[in-house]
Amino acid sequence: DALGISDQTYVVFTTDNGGRGTVPGGDPKSPAPNVPLSGAKHSLLEGGIRVPLMVRGPTIKAASVCRVPLAGYDFLPTFHELAGGKGNLSKELDGGSFVTLFSDPEIDSVKRPIDGLVFSRPRQRMAVIRSEQWKLLAEVNAKREIQSARLFNVVDDIAEEHDLSTKQADKAKQL
């Protein structure tokens, strides 16, 4: 504001993957810092992948809220568009631009090469796909084959306490 460039500048604030599971020197009997989310940094549970994201810019209404899930890999296409990038980005990119959300936070998705967000922790042999309110958390073997999977509705159950993979078998299989 002091520089007089706020009408042409976007400021983005976010963090990396999830909050710590413990607080150094903290009381181990205290609730985990990510409550009500389960898990923490380095996990694929919501406490490990949900992070704050705040954006201020000329096309964003003050105090607006958008609940569309995004990932770090959505930043490059977004910044490319905001910067007036010419030409298409590589089709190998996983992300999609979320610029349209700035002026209409009610839009319900970001267009990406695949439907949903994908996260993988190969050393932990875990992978996740999140599409709309659904999240499939899969344990995989060294060949990346699914060994077991749990399905959650992370809108209704952000603590991921209720595995719906049996009740919603078709959705689990689809994901």
Side-chain angles (χ1 to χ4, degrees):
D1 291 338
L3 295 173
I5 60 172
S6 61
D7 64 335
Q8 58 188 350
T9 303
Y10 286 86
V11 177
V12 178
F13 173 84
T14 191
T15 65
D16 67 350
N17 54 331
R20 292 181 56 99
T22 59
V23 176
D27 181 355
K29 295 176 189 164
S30 296
N34 295 331
V35 168
L37 303 176
S38 57
K41 185 181 284 295
H42 304 297
S43 96
L44 294 179
L45 295 167
E46 289 298 283
I49 60 176
R50 277 197 193 199
V51 297
L53 171 64
M54 293 179 275
V55 183
R56 178 185 180 208
T59 62
I60 301 172
K61 182 180 173 189
S64 60
V65 175
C66 178
R67 303 229 180 263
V68 174
L70 303 171
Y73 50 77
D74 292 325
F75 287 111
L76 177 60
T78 301
F79 295 159
H80 179 263
E81 183 176 340
L82 287 173
K86 304 292 184 220
N88 295 321
L89 294 171
S90 170
K91 292 182 188 239
E92 294 178 359
L93 292 177
D94 294 328
S97 172
F98 54 90
V99 169
T100 56
L101 299 176
F102 294 165
S103 58
D104 186 359
E106 297 300 318
I107 293 174
D108 63 356
S109 66
V110 170
K111 186 177 183 216
R112 298 182 186 91
I114 65 163
D115 180 29
L117 299 174
V118 176
F119 301 94
S120 178
R121 300 288 301 186
R123 289 187 194 149
Q124 294 177 354
R125 297 200 171 158
M126 300 293 289
V128 162
I129 183 165
R130 162 93 190 258
S131 181
E132 299 170 347
Q133 77 268 28
W134 300 104
K135 176 180 175 182
L136 187 76
L137 176 64
E139 292 184 41
V140 296
N141 64 20
K143 296 177 183 177
R144 308 284 294 154
E145 300 165 330
I146 295 175
Q147 300 301 294
S148 66
R150 294 178 284 160
L151 179 70
F152 303 99
N153 179 328
V154 291
V155 171
D156 295 338
D157 178 23
I158 64 173
E160 296 169 291
E161 296 178 324
H162 307 287
D163 177 8
L164 302 173
S165 61
T166 304
K167 290 181 181 176
Q168 298 282 340
D170 289 343
K171 179 54 76 175
K173 185 175 181 175
Q174 174 192 0
L175 293 173

